[in-house]
Amino acid sequence: VALMDAALAAQGDEMVDLLRITTQSAKRHGNMLEDRQVRRLLGMTRQGNDAQATAVAALIGALSLPNQDLIPLILGK
């Protein structure tokens, strides 16, 4: 939770680094993020540069989110 809060407050390369660390944590410990953080993360899918988009996508994949959360992203809605 603290890592994700830090990532959401950061910008640029710092955000990318923190998102990568959060992804590694999610892979080790599972999805421990709060709903508000997941909603913000899902909202970030259409923002930022390529490095940020890749980091966001990797974290979304590591969180094992329910399909109903991912289908709108896939369909672009």
Side-chain angles (χ1 to χ4, degrees), residues 41-57:
L41 180 67
L42 293 173
M44 294 170 60
T45 58
R46 294 181 182 92
Q47 302 170 357
N49 59 34
D50 288 345
Q52 289 172 332
T54 300
V56 167

Side-chain angles (χ1 to χ4, degrees), residues 1 3-4 7 15-33 41 51-64:
V1 172
L3 284 171
M4 188 61 186
M15 175 189 278
V16 171
D17 290 341
L18 288 166
L19 287 171
R20 288 179 181 155
I21 293 167
T22 305
T23 299
Q24 293 170 357
S25 176
K27 287 179 179 179
R28 281 189 209 109
H29 307 290
N31 182 358
M32 300 176 116
L33 298 183
L41 180 67
Q52 289 172 332
T54 300
V56 167
L59 179 53
I60 288 172
L63 294 176
S64 299

